[in-house]
Coordinates of all heavy atoms in Angstrom, one line a residue:
M253 N 107.3 136.5 114.6 CA 106.0 135.9 114.8 C 105.3 135.6 113.5 O 104.8 134.5 113.3 CB 105.1 136.8 115.7 CG 103.9 136.0 116.3 SD 104.4 134.7 117.4 CE 102.8 133.9 117.7
I254 N 105.3 136.6 112.6 CA 104.6 136.4 111.3 C 105.4 135.4 110.5 O 104.8 134.5 109.8 CB 104.5 137.8 110.6 CG1 103.5 138.6 111.3 CG2 104.1 137.6 109.1 CD1 103.5 140.1 110.9
L255 N 106.7 135.5 110.6 CA 107.6 134.5 109.8 C 107.3 133.1 110.3 O 107.2 132.2 109.5 CB 109.1 134.8 110.0 CG 109.6 135.9 109.1 CD1 111.1 136.2 109.4 CD2 109.5 135.5 107.6
K256 N 107.2 132.9 111.6 CA 106.9 131.6 112.1 C 105.5 131.1 111.6 O 105.4 129.9 111.2 CB 106.9 131.7 113.7 CG 107.1 130.4 114.4 CD 107.2 130.6 115.9 CE 107.2 129.3 116.6 NZ 107.2 129.5 118.1
F257 N 104.6 131.9 111.6 CA 103.2 131.6 111.1 C 103.3 131.2 109.6 O 102.7 130.2 109.2 CB 102.3 132.8 111.3 CG 100.9 132.5 110.7 CD1 100.0 131.7 111.3 CD2 100.6 133.2 109.5 CE1 98.8 131.5 110.8 CE2 99.3 133.0 109.0 CZ 98.4 132.1 109.6
L258 N 104.1 132.0 108.9 CA 104.2 131.7 107.4 C 104.9 130.3 107.2 O 104.5 129.5 106.4 CB 105.0 132.8 106.8 CG 104.3 134.0 106.4 CD1 105.2 135.1 105.8 CD2 103.2 133.7 105.3
A259 N 105.9 130.1 108.1 CA 106.7 128.8 107.9 C 105.8 127.6 108.2 O 105.8 126.6 107.5 CB 107.9 128.8 108.9
V260 N 105.0 127.7 109.3 CA 104.0 126.7 109.6 C 103.0 126.5 108.5 O 102.7 125.3 108.1 CB 103.3 127.0 111.0 CG1 102.2 126.0 111.2 CG2 104.3 126.9 112.1
T261 N 102.5 127.6 107.9 CA 101.6 127.5 106.9 C 102.2 126.8 105.6 O 101.5 125.9 105.0 CB 101.1 128.9 106.5 OG1 100.6 129.6 107.6 CG2 100.0 128.9 105.4
V262 N 103.4 127.2 105.3 CA 104.1 126.6 104.2 C 104.3 125.1 104.4 O 104.0 124.2 103.5 CB 105.4 127.3 103.9 CG1 106.3 126.4 102.9 CG2 105.2 128.7 103.3
V263 N 104.7 124.7 105.6 CA 104.9 123.3 105.9 C 103.6 122.5 105.8 O 103.5 121.4 105.2 CB 105.6 123.1 107.3 CG1 105.5 121.7 107.7 CG2 107.0 123.6 107.3
L264 N 102.6 123.1 106.4 CA 101.3 122.4 106.3 C 100.8 122.3 104.9 O 100.3 121.2 104.5 CB 100.2 123.2 107.1 CG 100.3 123.1 108.7 CD1 99.3 124.0 109.3 CD2 100.0 121.6 109.1
F265 N 101.0 123.3 104.1 CA 100.6 123.3 102.7 C 101.4 122.2 101.9 O 100.8 121.4 101.2 CB 100.9 124.6 102.0 CG 100.6 124.7 100.6 CD1 99.2 124.7 100.2 CD2 101.6 124.7 99.6 CE1 98.9 124.7 98.8 CE2 101.3 124.7 98.3 CZ 100.0 124.7 97.9
L266 N 102.7 122.1 102.2 CA 103.5 121.1 101.5 C 103.1 119.7 101.9 O 102.9 118.8 101.1 CB 105.0 121.3 101.9 CG 105.7 122.4 101.1 CD1 107.1 122.6 101.7 CD2 105.7 122.2 99.6
V267 N 102.8 119.5 103.2 CA 102.4 118.2 103.7 C 101.0 117.8 103.1 O 100.8 116.7 102.5 CB 102.3 118.2 105.2 CG1 101.6 116.9 105.7 CG2 103.7 118.2 105.8
Y268 N 100.1 118.8 103.0 CA 98.8 118.6 102.5 C 98.9 118.2 101.0 O 98.3 117.3 100.5 CB 98.0 119.8 102.7 CG 96.6 119.7 102.0 CD1 95.6 119.0 102.6 CD2 96.4 120.4 100.8 CE1 94.4 118.9 102.0 CE2 95.1 120.3 100.2 CZ 94.1 119.6 100.8 OH 92.9 119.5 100.2
T269 N 99.8 119.0 100.3 CA 99.9 118.7 98.8 C 100.5 117.4 98.6 O 100.0 116.6 97.7 CB 100.9 119.8 98.2 OG1 100.4 121.1 98.6 CG2 101.0 119.7 96.7
L270 N 101.5 117.0 99.3 CA 102.2 115.7 99.1 C 101.2 114.5 99.4 O 101.0 113.6 98.7 CB 103.4 115.5 100.0 CG 104.6 116.2 99.6 CD1 105.7 116.2 100.7 CD2 105.2 115.6 98.3
F271 N 100.4 114.7 100.5 CA 99.5 113.7 100.9 C 98.4 113.6 99.9 O 98.0 112.5 99.4 CB 98.9 114.1 102.3 CG 97.9 113.1 102.8 CD1 98.4 111.9 103.4 CD2 96.5 113.3 102.8 CE1 97.5 111.0 103.9 CE2 95.6 112.4 103.3 CZ 96.1 111.2 103.8
F272 N 97.9 114.7 99.4 CA 96.8 114.7 98.4 C 97.3 114.1 97.1 O 96.6 113.2 96.5 CB 96.4 116.2 98.2 CG 95.2 116.3 97.2 CD1 93.9 115.9 97.7 CD2 95.3 116.8 96.0 CE1 92.8 116.0 96.8 CE2 94.3 116.9 95.1 CZ 93.0 116.5 95.5
K273 N 98.5 114.4 96.7 CA 99.1 113.9 95.5 C 99.2 112.4 95.5 O 98.9 111.7 94.6 CB 100.4 114.6 95.2 CG 100.9 114.5 93.8 CD 102.2 115.2 93.6 CE 102.9 114.9 92.3 NZ 104.3 115.3 92.2
K274 N 99.7 111.9 96.7 CA 99.9 110.5 96.9 C 98.6 109.8 96.8 O 98.5 108.7 96.1 CB 100.6 110.3 98.3 CG 101.5 109.1 98.4 CD 102.2 109.1 99.7 CE 103.1 107.9 99.9 NZ 103.7 107.9 101.2
N275 N 97.6 110.3 97.5 CA 96.3 109.7 97.5 C 95.7 109.6 96.0 O 95.1 108.6 95.6 CB 95.3 110.5 98.3 CG 95.2 109.9 99.7 OD1 95.9 108.9 100.0 ND2 94.4 110.5 100.6
R276 N 95.9 110.7 95.3 CA 95.4 110.8 93.9 C 96.1 109.7 93.0 O 95.4 109.0 92.3 CB 95.6 112.2 93.4 CG 94.4 112.6 92.5 CD 94.5 114.1 92.2 NE 95.1 114.3 90.9 CZ 95.3 115.5 90.3 NH1 94.9 116.6 90.9 NH2 95.8 115.6 89.1
E277 N 97.4 109.6 93.2 CA 98.2 108.7 92.4 C 97.7 107.2 92.7 O 97.6 106.4 91.9 CB 99.7 108.8 92.6 CG 100.3 110.0 91.8 CD 101.7 110.3 92.2 OE1 102.2 109.6 93.1 OE2 102.3 111.2 91.7
K278 N 97.5 107.0 94.0 CA 97.1 105.7 94.5 C 95.7 105.4 93.9 O 95.5 104.3 93.4 CB 97.0 105.8 96.0 CG 97.3 104.5 96.7 CD 97.3 104.7 98.2 CE 97.5 103.4 99.0 NZ 97.4 103.6 100.4
S279 N 94.8 106.3 94.0 CA 93.5 106.0 93.4 C 93.5 105.9 91.9 O 92.8 105.1 91.3 CB 92.5 107.1 93.8 OG 92.8 108.3 93.2
M280 N 94.4 106.6 91.2 CA 94.5 106.5 89.8 C 95.1 105.1 89.4 O 94.6 104.5 88.5 CB 95.4 107.6 89.2 CG 94.7 108.9 89.0 SD 95.9 110.2 88.6 CE 96.3 109.8 86.9
D281 N 96.1 104.7 90.2 CA 96.6 103.3 90.0 C 95.6 102.3 90.1 O 95.5 101.4 89.3 CB 97.7 103.1 91.1 CG 99.1 103.7 90.6 OD1 99.1 104.2 89.5 OD2 100.0 103.6 91.4
S282 N 94.7 102.3 91.2 CA 93.8 101.3 91.4 C 92.7 101.3 90.3 O 92.2 100.3 89.8 CB 93.1 101.4 92.8 OG 92.5 102.6 92.9
S283 N 92.3 102.6 89.8 CA 91.4 102.6 88.7 C 91.9 102.1 87.4 O 91.3 101.4 86.7 CB 90.8 104.1 88.6 OG 91.9 104.9 88.0
N284 N 93.2 102.4 87.2 CA 93.9 101.8 86.0 C 93.9 100.3 86.1 O 93.6 99.6 85.1 CB 95.3 102.3 85.9 CG 95.4 103.7 85.3 OD1 94.4 104.2 84.8 ND2 96.6 104.3 85.4
K285 N 94.2 99.7 87.2 CA 94.2 98.3 87.4 C 92.8 97.7 87.1 O 92.7 96.7 86.4 CB 94.7 97.9 88.8 CG 96.2 97.7 88.9 CD 96.6 97.4 90.3 CE 98.1 97.6 90.5 NZ 98.4 97.6 91.9
S286 N 91.8 98.3 87.7 CA 90.4 97.8 87.5 C 90.0 97.9 86.0 O 89.3 97.1 85.5 CB 89.4 98.5 88.4 OG 89.3 99.8 88.1
N287 N 90.5 99.0 85.4 CA 90.2 99.1 83.9 C 90.8 98.0 83.1 O 90.2 97.4 82.3 CB 90.7 100.5 83.4 CG 89.8 101.6 83.7 OD1 88.6 101.4 84.1 ND2 90.2 102.8 83.6
Q288 N 92.1 97.7 83.4 CA 92.7 96.6 82.7 C 92.0 95.3 82.9 O 91.9 94.5 82.0 CB 94.2 96.5 83.2 CG 95.1 97.6 82.5 CD 96.5 97.7 83.1 OE1 96.8 96.9 84.0 NE2 97.3 98.6 82.7
K289 N 91.6 95.1 84.2 CA 90.9 93.9 84.5 C 89.6 93.8 83.7 O 89.3 92.8 83.2 CB 90.6 93.9 86.0 CG 90.5 92.5 86.6 CD 90.2 92.6 88.1 CE 89.7 91.3 88.7 NZ 89.3 91.5 90.1
D290 N 88.9 94.9 83.7 CA 87.7 95.0 82.9 C 87.9 94.6 81.4 O 87.2 93.9 80.8 CB 87.0 96.3 83.0 CG 86.3 96.5 84.3 OD1 86.2 95.5 85.1 OD2 85.9 97.7 84.6
N291 N 89.0 95.2 80.9 CA 89.3 95.0 79.5 C 89.6 93.5 79.2 O 89.2 92.9 78.2 CB 90.6 95.8 79.1 CG 90.2 97.2 78.9 OD1 89.1 97.6 78.8 ND2 91.3 98.1 78.9
I292 N 90.3 92.8 80.2 CA 90.6 91.4 80.0 C 89.3 90.6 80.1 O 89.1 89.7 79.3 CB 91.6 91.0 81.0 CG1 93.0 91.6 80.7 CG2 91.8 89.4 81.0 CD1 94.0 91.5 81.9
E293 N 88.5 90.9 81.1 CA 87.3 90.1 81.3 C 86.1 90.4 80.5 O 85.3 89.5 80.2 CB 86.9 90.2 82.8 CG 87.9 89.5 83.7 CD 87.5 89.6 85.2 OE1 86.5 90.4 85.4 OE2 88.1 89.0 86.0
D294 N 86.0 91.6 80.0 CA 84.8 92.0 79.3 C 85.1 92.5 77.9 O 84.6 93.5 77.5 CB 84.1 93.1 80.1 CG 83.5 92.6 81.4 OD1 83.1 91.4 81.4 OD2 83.4 93.3 82.3
I295 N 85.8 91.7 77.1 CA 85.9 92.0 75.7 C 84.6 91.5 75.0 O 84.2 90.4 75.1 CB 87.1 91.2 75.1 CG1 88.4 91.7 75.8 CG2 87.2 91.5 73.6 CD1 89.6 90.9 75.5
M296 N 83.9 92.5 74.4 CA 82.6 92.2 73.8 C 82.9 91.7 72.4 O 83.6 92.3 71.6 CB 81.7 93.4 73.8 CG 81.5 94.0 75.2 SD 80.7 92.8 76.3 CE 79.0 92.9 75.7
V297 N 82.2 90.6 72.0 CA 82.3 90.0 70.7 C 80.9 89.9 70.2 O 79.9 89.7 70.9 CB 83.0 88.7 70.7 CG1 84.5 88.9 70.9 CG2 82.5 87.7 71.7
E298 N 80.7 90.0 68.8 CA 79.4 90.0 68.2 C 79.1 88.5 67.9 O 79.9 87.9 67.2 CB 79.4 90.9 67.0 CG 78.0 91.1 66.5 CD 78.0 92.0 65.2 OE1 79.0 92.4 64.8 OE2 76.9 92.3 64.8
C299 N 77.9 88.1 68.2 CA 77.5 86.8 67.8 C 77.1 86.8 66.4 O 76.4 87.7 65.9 CB 76.2 86.4 68.7 SG 75.4 84.9 68.1
P300 N 77.8 86.0 65.6 CA 77.6 86.0 64.1 C 76.1 85.6 63.7 O 75.7 85.9 62.6 CB 78.6 85.1 63.5 CG 79.0 84.2 64.7 CD 78.7 84.9 65.9
T301 N 75.4 85.0 64.5 CA 74.0 84.5 64.2 C 73.0 85.6 64.4 O 72.2 86.0 63.5 CB 73.7 83.3 65.0 OG1 74.7 82.3 64.7 CG2 72.3 82.7 64.5
C302 N 73.0 86.2 65.6 CA 71.9 87.1 66.0 C 72.4 88.5 66.1 O 71.7 89.5 66.3 CB 71.2 86.7 67.3 SG 72.2 86.8 68.7
G303 N 73.8 88.7 66.1 CA 74.3 90.1 66.2 C 74.4 90.6 67.6 O 74.7 91.8 67.8
T304 N 74.1 89.8 68.6 CA 74.1 90.3 70.0 C 75.6 90.3 70.4 O 76.4 89.5 70.1 CB 73.3 89.3 70.9 OG1 72.0 89.3 70.4 CG2 73.4 89.8 72.3
Y305 N 75.9 91.4 71.2 CA 77.2 91.5 71.8 C 77.3 90.7 73.1 O 76.4 90.9 73.9 CB 77.7 92.9 71.9 CG 78.1 93.5 70.6 CD1 77.2 94.1 69.7 CD2 79.5 93.4 70.3 CE1 77.7 94.6 68.5 CE2 79.9 93.9 69.1 CZ 79.0 94.6 68.2 OH 79.4 95.1 67.0
V306 N 78.2 89.9 73.2 CA 78.4 89.1 74.4 C 79.8 89.1 74.9 O 80.7 89.2 74.0 CB 77.9 87.6 74.2 CG1 78.7 87.0 73.1 CG2 77.9 86.8 75.4
S307 N 80.1 89.1 76.2 CA 81.5 89.1 76.7 C 82.1 87.8 76.4 O 81.5 86.8 76.4 CB 81.5 89.5 78.1 OG 81.0 88.4 78.9
K308 N 83.4 87.9 76.1 CA 84.2 86.7 75.6 C 84.1 85.6 76.6 O 84.1 84.4 76.3 CB 85.6 87.1 75.4 CG 85.9 87.2 73.9 CD 87.4 87.4 73.7 CE 87.7 87.5 72.2 NZ 89.1 87.7 71.9
K309 N 84.1 85.9 77.9 CA 84.2 84.9 78.9 C 82.8 84.1 79.0 O 82.8 83.0 79.5 CB 84.6 85.4 80.3 CG 83.6 86.4 80.9 CD 84.0 86.8 82.3 CE 83.1 87.9 82.8 NZ 83.4 88.3 84.2
E310 N 81.7 84.8 78.5 CA 80.4 84.1 78.6 C 80.1 83.5 77.2 O 79.1 82.7 77.1 CB 79.3 85.1 79.0 CG 79.4 85.5 80.4 CD 78.5 86.7 80.7 OE1 77.6 86.9 80.0 OE2 78.8 87.3 81.8
A311 N 80.8 83.8 76.2 CA 80.5 83.4 74.8 C 80.9 81.9 74.6 O 81.8 81.4 75.3 CB 81.2 84.3 73.8
I312 N 80.3 81.3 73.6 CA 80.7 79.9 73.3 C 81.6 80.0 72.0 O 81.2 80.5 71.0 CB 79.4 79.1 73.0 CG1 78.6 79.0 74.2 CG2 79.8 77.7 72.6 CD1 77.1 78.6 73.9
L313 N 82.8 79.5 72.1 CA 83.8 79.6 71.0 C 83.6 78.4 70.1 O 83.6 77.2 70.6 CB 85.2 79.7 71.6 CG 86.3 79.8 70.6 CD1 86.2 81.0 69.7 CD2 87.7 79.8 71.3
S314 N 83.4 78.6 68.8 CA 83.4 77.5 67.9 C 83.9 78.0 66.6 O 83.5 79.0 66.0 CB 81.9 77.1 67.7 OG 81.8 76.1 66.7
N315 N 84.9 77.3 66.1 CA 85.6 77.6 64.8 C 86.0 79.1 64.7 O 85.9 79.7 63.7 CB 84.7 77.3 63.6 CG 84.3 75.8 63.6 OD1 85.2 74.9 63.9 ND2 83.1 75.4 63.2
G316 N 86.5 79.6 65.8 CA 87.0 81.0 65.8 C 85.9 82.0 65.9 O 86.2 83.2 66.0
N317 N 84.6 81.6 66.0 CA 83.5 82.5 66.2 C 83.0 82.4 67.6 O 82.9 81.3 68.2 CB 82.4 82.3 65.2 CG 82.8 82.6 63.8 OD1 83.4 83.7 63.6 ND2 82.4 81.8 62.8
Y318 N 82.6 83.5 68.2 CA 82.0 83.5 69.5 C 80.5 83.6 69.4 O 79.9 84.6 68.8 CB 82.5 84.7 70.3 CG 84.0 84.5 70.7 CD1 85.0 85.0 69.9 CD2 84.3 83.8 71.9 CE1 86.3 84.8 70.3 CE2 85.6 83.7 72.2 CZ 86.7 84.2 71.4 OH 88.0 84.0 71.8
Y319 N 79.8 82.7 69.9 CA 78.3 82.7 69.9 C 77.7 83.0 71.3 O 78.3 82.6 72.3 CB 77.8 81.3 69.4 CG 78.2 81.0 68.0 CD1 79.4 80.3 67.7 CD2 77.4 81.4 66.9 CE1 79.8 80.1 66.4 CE2 77.8 81.1 65.6 CZ 79.0 80.5 65.4 OH 79.4 80.2 64.1
C320 N 76.6 83.7 71.3 CA 76.0 84.1 72.5 C 75.3 83.0 73.3 O 75.2 83.0 74.5 CB 75.0 85.3 72.3 SG 73.5 84.8 71.4
S321 N 74.9 82.0 72.5 CA 74.1 80.9 73.2 C 74.3 79.6 72.3 O 74.7 79.7 71.1 CB 72.7 81.2 73.3 OG 72.1 81.4 72.0
K322 N 73.9 78.5 72.9 CA 73.9 77.2 72.1 C 73.0 77.2 70.9 O 73.3 76.7 69.9 CB 73.5 76.1 73.1 CG 74.7 75.4 73.8 CD 74.2 74.2 74.6 CE 75.3 73.6 75.4 NZ 74.9 72.5 76.2
E323 N 71.8 77.9 71.1 CA 70.9 78.0 70.0 C 71.5 78.7 68.8 O 71.4 78.2 67.6 CB 69.7 78.9 70.4 CG 68.7 78.1 71.3 CD 69.2 78.0 72.8 OE1 70.0 78.9 73.2 OE2 68.9 77.0 73.4
C324 N 72.3 79.8 69.0 CA 72.9 80.5 67.9 C 74.0 79.6 67.3 O 74.2 79.6 66.1 CB 73.5 81.8 68.4 SG 72.2 83.1 68.6
L325 N 74.7 78.9 68.1 CA 75.8 78.0 67.7 C 75.2 76.9 66.7 O 75.8 76.6 65.7 CB 76.5 77.3 68.9 CG 77.5 76.3 68.6 CD1 78.7 76.9 67.8 CD2 78.1 75.7 69.9
E326 N 74.0 76.4 67.1 CA 73.4 75.3 66.3 C 72.7 75.9 65.1 O 72.6 75.2 64.0 CB 72.4 74.6 67.2 CG 73.1 73.7 68.2 CD 72.1 73.3 69.3 OE1 70.9 73.6 69.3 OE2 72.6 72.6 70.3
N327 N 72.2 77.1 65.1 CA 71.5 77.7 64.0 C 72.4 78.6 63.1 O 71.8 79.5 62.5 CB 70.3 78.5 64.5 CG 69.3 77.6 65.3 OD1 69.1 76.5 64.9 ND2 68.7 78.2 66.3
K328 N 73.6 78.4 63.2 CA 74.5 79.3 62.4 C 74.4 79.1 60.9 O 74.0 78.0 60.4 CB 76.0 79.1 62.8 CG 76.5 77.7 62.6 CD 77.9 77.6 63.2 CE 78.4 76.2 63.1 NZ 79.7 76.0 63.7
Ligands
ZN205 ZN1 73.4 84.9 69.2

């Protein structure tokens, strides 16, 4: 009887551990993916005119420099 109880406990523990591990890896994978996505989309560059940091996708590219706004581009 005690052996049976122990066996059930061990099986439940193994199932719980595997399930938990799987979930953790899954969530880690998705967080890694979102981090990579953030890195691609949100690379911060400094505006050479006013020194403001702006994300590359929102910046204005001119002669290899990223400007935060048209004003900074014109007043460089
Ligand atoms: Zn600027």
Side-chain angles (χ1 to χ4, degrees):
M253 195 62 187
I254 291 168
L255 276 177
K256 202 175 171 184
F257 175 75
L258 278 175
V260 170
T261 306
V262 168
V263 168
L264 283 175
F265 177 74
L266 284 175
V267 168
Y268 175 78
T269 307
L270 284 173
F271 183 74
F272 185 72
K273 202 180 166 188
K274 213 173 176 180
N275 266 1
R276 218 169 96 178
E277 282 170 0
K278 213 175 173 183
S279 67
M280 276 171 75
D281 277 354
S282 61
S283 70
N284 280 348
K285 269 178 195 167
S286 65
N287 279 347
Q288 282 172 359
K289 205 179 168 190
D290 283 350
N291 284 343
I292 291 165
E293 287 180 354
D294 288 330
I295 297 167
M296 302 302 282
V297 286
E298 190 179 3
C299 172
T301 306
C302 67
T304 301
Y305 280 88
V306 61
S307 69
K308 257 187 181 179
K309 63 175 177 178
E310 288 170 20
I312 300 162
L313 178 61
S314 174
N315 298 323
N317 290 320
Y318 289 92
Y319 297 90
C320 68
S321 62
K322 272 187 183 176
E323 285 76 30
C324 284
L325 175 61
E326 286 161 7
N327 299 327
K328 61 185 171 183

